[in-house]
Amino acid sequence: MKKYFVQYKPFLLFLASFFGCYILLTVGYQYFLNSFGDRNVDSITQVVAHNAEKIISWFFMRVQVESVINEPFVRMYFQNKYIIRIVEGCNGISVVILFISFIVAFSGSLKNTLLFVFGGSLIIYILNVFRIAVLTILLYYYPEYSHILHGVFFPLIIYGLVFILWFIWVNKFSKYAK
């Protein structure tokens, strides 16, 4: 049995660090979410919604974000029509947690790891805000495609980006790149 632990040590260390980091970040995030209660929207989701609102307003389109007390989501109105609700799962934090856990599991130098975690998380956040803004506009004009847009196309984009960032990390910066 010891032979197998020695043989698979890198894989076992990867699993332990990935799941350890993932669980730690998820528990911390859940603690943060619990501070808002079940009936109110968290501050990160509100910031994401307001940033998406800003992006849409750059194009001189009528857009409004509304948070209502005792609703765990933010309403997004486009051209004076209620289009989407932005819930906690839309803010991208769970994707960032997954991204960070993988980077930590394949860590490199502390400096490279911290810079890549920060830079990658920022890229994911920005893409997610743009995703919400574009999705709002597309659902206004093409509501019949809501399932394919929200359920297939945009998750493909966000998780595709995460995969590309992981690929870059493993091949250029992790301790396994050499």
Side-chain angles (χ1 to χ4, degrees), residues 49 52 63-65 74-78 81-84 86 136:
V63 62
Q64 179 187 358
V65 167
V74 178
R75 296 177 185 187
M76 179 81 81
Y77 295 87
F78 179 71
K81 181 180 177 189
Y82 175 51
I83 303 296
I84 63 171
I86 302 170
T136 301

Side-chain angles (χ1 to χ4, degrees), residues 31-131:
Y31 180 76
F32 167 77
L33 290 176
N34 289 341
S35 69
F36 293 92
D38 293 339
R39 304 194 56 112
N40 294 310
V41 67
D42 64 281
S43 58
I44 296 172
T45 303
Q46 288 181 13
V47 169
V48 168
H50 287 288
N51 287 338
E53 177 186 35
K54 279 282 188 210
I55 290 171
I56 294 170
S57 70
W58 288 346
F59 300 101
F60 306 106
M61 298 179 174
R62 284 176 276 149
V63 62
Q64 179 187 358
V65 167
E66 177 184 57
S67 296
V68 178
I69 295 175
N70 292 328
E71 285 187 351
F73 56 85
V74 178
R75 296 177 185 187
M76 179 81 81
Y77 295 87
F78 179 71
Q79 307 294 61
N80 297 325
K81 181 180 177 189
Y82 175 51
I83 303 296
I84 63 171
R85 62 187 177 137
I86 302 170
V87 298
E88 175 273 323
C90 300
N91 67 21
I93 297 302
S94 59
V95 176
V96 170
I97 289 172
L98 187 67
F99 167 75
I100 291 172
S101 299
F102 184 87
I103 299 303
V104 167
F106 268 110
S107 64
S109 70
L110 181 61
K111 179 183 174 186
N112 283 348
T113 302
L114 291 175
L115 286 174
F116 203 83
V117 161
F118 177 75
S121 298
L122 185 62
I123 290 169
I124 292 167
Y125 177 85
I126 291 169
L127 180 67
N128 188 53
V129 170
F130 273 95
R131 173 188 75 92

Side-chain angles (χ1 to χ4, degrees), residues 18 54 68 83 89 105 120 125 146 154 156 162-163 169 172:
F18 176 83
K54 279 282 188 210
V68 178
I83 303 296
Y125 177 85
S146 66
F154 283 104
L156 183 65
V162 170
F163 180 77
W169 173 255
K172 299 284 183 191

